Amino acid sequence: MASGGPEIEQLIQLLARLPGYGPRSARRAVLHLIKRKDQLMLPLSAALDRAVAAVRSCEICGNVDTISPCSICADPRRGESGILIVVEDVGDLWALERAGVGQVRYHVLGGVLSPLDGIGPDDLNLDALLSRAGDYTELVLAMNATVEGQTTAHYITDHLSGRGIKVTRLAHGVPVGGELDYLDEGTLSQALRARTEI
Amino acid sequence: MASGGPEIEQLIQLLARLPGYGPRSARRAVLHLIKRKDQLMLPLSAALDRAVAAVRSCEICGNVDTISPCSICADPRRGESGILIVVEDVGDLWALERAGVGQVRYHVLGGVLSPLDGIGPDDLNLDALLSRAGDYTELVLAMNATVEGQTTAHYITDHLSGRGIKVTRLAHGVPVGGELDYLDEGTLSQALRARTEI
C-alpha cells in the first residue's frame, strides 16, 4: 500500500489499538493529525512524551498520577473524613472524583477476584488494603455490581471482621434519569426495598 | 479535579480533539494507554515523534508521505498509464489506493471551490494541476458527488478544454452490496441510464 511511508503506517496501526478505534478510524485520525500538524499533532506528541515520563502508580493507593504518593494520598484534608473507598480500577476512582464525592481517600484493587481467569488474592492490591484499612473508620466497597465484584467485596468483609471498621457498599437503585421500563428486575426490587420517605 | 496530574489532563484534552473522540472516551483512552505503558503508550509516543519529524506534503501532487516527491510521483511505472486522478483530499487518494485502482498518478486539490465559504481557485492546488495535466492523456475527476465537487470539476474541465486531454469522471450507480430501496432517486435514475449488458 503506497499511502504514506512506514512511519505513517505504524502510527495508524498503533492508534487502531486505542479503545473505540479500528484500522479505518485510525487512518482517519492520522489524516486529521497530519492536516493539523502544528495545532494538534505536535502538541499531542509532546504531551504524550511528557505523560510517558511523568506517569506513575501511587505506592499507597494504586491511583495513577505524576507524583507518588498521589495528590489524593498526599492531601491531609482527605484523611479527616476517615472514609476509604475501595474501587476495582483507576477509571472508577476518576468517575467518583468527577461525581465530587468529597474529601475521601481511595484504594485501587487493580481488578477483582476471578477464579475462572486465575485471578486470586495475591494478584490484587489486597494486602496493602488490609494493612491500611485500620487508619480509617469506614470502608466503602465500591466494586462493580458483578458476581466477581461482589465476591471480592465478601472476601474483604471477611478479612476485616472483628477489627471494628464499619464496612459499607454503594446503594442499589434506579439511576438518576433512568426509566423503570428499561431496568432489570433485580435493581427494581432492590430500589423498592430501599425506598426512602419524601 | 484531582484525577491525575496536569500532564494527564492535557493528554486527555488533546486526545479529545481526535475524530470520534470526546472528553469521556479520551479519558478512557488515556487510562488504556497508561495501563499498557510498555506495549502501547511508549511505542505510540515514539511513532508519533517519528511521524511528526518525517511527514511532508508532496511538492508535485499534494499527497502526504515521508519523502517528497512522494513514492507515487517518484515511481516511473505510475506515469506509463497516462492517467491522472484528481481528488479533493489525501483521504480520497488513500481510499483509491486501497481499492487497488492500478498504476495511476494523483493530484490532491486540498478542497473544493466553495464561494459561500470563501474558497476560490487560488485557495486550491489548481495552478499546479493545470500545468502538469499536459503530461497525461486522461484526467479522471474523482471529486465527491456534491454541488461543490461538481462545480470544481466544471471549472477544471473549462480550463482544460482545447488542450486535447481526455477528461472523465467516476461512474454513478448502485454501490456494490447496496439495496435499491435505500438509494436516492438521482442515483437510481443515473444507474438505469448507464445500464450495461450482462
Side-chain angles (χ1 to χ4, degrees):
Chain A
M1 193 144 56
S3 48
E7 290 88 351
I8 297 174
E9 270 308 313
Q10 210 192 359
L11 186 58
I12 292 171
Q13 278 169 26
L14 285 166
L15 273 182
R17 288 168 55 193
L18 287 183
Y21 269 9
R24 228 190 167 86
S25 42
R27 200 169 287 281
R28 203 169 306 132
V30 168
L31 261 180
H32 186 89
L33 282 172
I34 290 172
K35 281 193 207 155
R36 289 155 191 82
K37 193 171 173 181
D38 291 330
Q39 310 99 294
L40 185 56
M41 197 178 186
L42 274 171
L44 180 63
S45 174
L48 204 49
D49 287 348
R50 277 196 300 272
V52 162
V55 162
R56 61 207 71 234
S57 218
C58 172
E59 65 203 75
I60 298 176
C61 74
N63 184 18
V64 161
D65 204 334
T66 48
I67 47 172
S68 175
C70 72
S71 53
I72 295 177
C73 287
D75 183 352
R77 282 170 306 171
R78 291 285 191 147
E80 287 165 11
S81 67
I83 296 175
L84 182 68
I85 304 186
V86 184
V87 292
E88 293 182 18
D89 204 88
V90 176
D92 303 327
L93 187 162
W94 288 8
L96 286 164
E97 279 294 293
R98 278 201 301 282
V101 290
Q103 300 290 6
V104 299
R105 288 245 172 85
Y106 299 93
H107 192 86
V108 181
L109 292 177
V112 276
L113 294 175
S114 176
L116 283 177
D117 301 316
I119 299 173
D122 295 339
D123 301 309
L124 303 179
N125 194 10
L126 273 169
D127 283 344
L129 171 64
L130 298 179
S131 66
R132 71 185 283 224
D135 301 338
Y136 296 86
T137 51
E138 182 179 348
L139 217 68
V140 185
L141 302 180
M143 266 71 82
N144 290 332
T146 57
V147 174
E148 289 85 4
Q150 297 314 304
T151 309
T152 313
H154 253 288
Y155 179 93
I156 295 171
T157 314
D158 278 354
H159 279 73
L160 287 176
S161 69
R163 285 181 56 185
I165 304 162
K166 186 173 155 193
V167 180
T168 57
R169 65 160 177 75
L170 294 184
H172 289 304
V174 183
V176 176
E179 294 182 40
L180 297 197
D181 202 14
Y182 291 94
L183 269 182
D184 65 292
E185 291 76 15
T187 306
L188 260 187
S189 67
Q190 294 236 31
L192 184 64
R193 255 178 287 149
R195 65 191 178 278
T196 54
E197 210 172 325
I198 302 174
Chain B
M1 195 146 50
S3 49
E7 290 87 351
I8 297 174
E9 270 309 313
Q10 208 191 3
L11 186 58
I12 292 171
Q13 278 169 25
L14 285 165
L15 273 182
R17 288 169 54 192
L18 287 182
Y21 268 8
R24 227 190 168 87
S25 42
R27 198 170 289 279
R28 203 170 303 132
V30 168
L31 260 181
H32 187 90
L33 283 172
I34 290 173
K35 282 193 209 156
R36 290 156 192 79
K37 193 170 172 180
D38 291 331
Q39 311 98 292
L40 186 55
M41 196 178 186
L42 275 170
L44 180 61
S45 174
L48 203 48
D49 286 347
R50 278 198 300 273
V52 162
V55 161
R56 59 207 72 234
S57 217
C58 172
E59 65 204 72
I60 298 176
C61 74
N63 185 16
V64 161
D65 204 333
T66 48
I67 47 171
S68 175
C70 73
S71 53
I72 295 177
C73 286
D75 183 352
R77 283 170 306 171
R78 291 285 192 148
E80 286 165 11
S81 67
I83 295 177
L84 183 68
I85 303 187
V86 184
V87 292
E88 293 182 16
D89 205 86
V90 177
D92 303 329
L93 187 162
W94 288 7
L96 286 164
E97 279 294 292
R98 278 202 302 282
V101 291
Q103 300 288 8
V104 300
R105 288 244 173 87
Y106 298 92
H107 192 88
V108 181
L109 292 177
V112 276
L113 295 176
S114 176
L116 282 177
D117 301 315
I119 300 174
D122 295 338
D123 301 308
L124 303 178
N125 195 9
L126 273 168
D127 284 345
L129 171 65
L130 298 179
S131 65
R132 72 186 281 223
D135 301 337
Y136 296 86
T137 51
E138 181 178 350
L139 217 66
V140 184
L141 302 180
M143 264 71 80
N144 289 332
T146 57
V147 173
E148 289 85 3
Q150 298 314 303
T151 309
T152 313
H154 253 287
Y155 179 94
I156 295 171
T157 315
D158 278 356
H159 279 72
L160 287 176
S161 68
R163 285 181 55 185
I165 304 163
K166 186 173 155 193
V167 181
T168 57
R169 66 160 176 76
L170 295 184
H172 289 304
V174 184
V176 176
E179 294 182 41
L180 297 197
D181 201 14
Y182 291 94
L183 271 181
D184 65 294
E185 291 75 17
T187 307
L188 260 186
S189 68
Q190 294 237 30
L192 184 66
R193 254 179 285 151
R195 64 191 178 279
T196 54
E197 209 171 329
I198 304 173

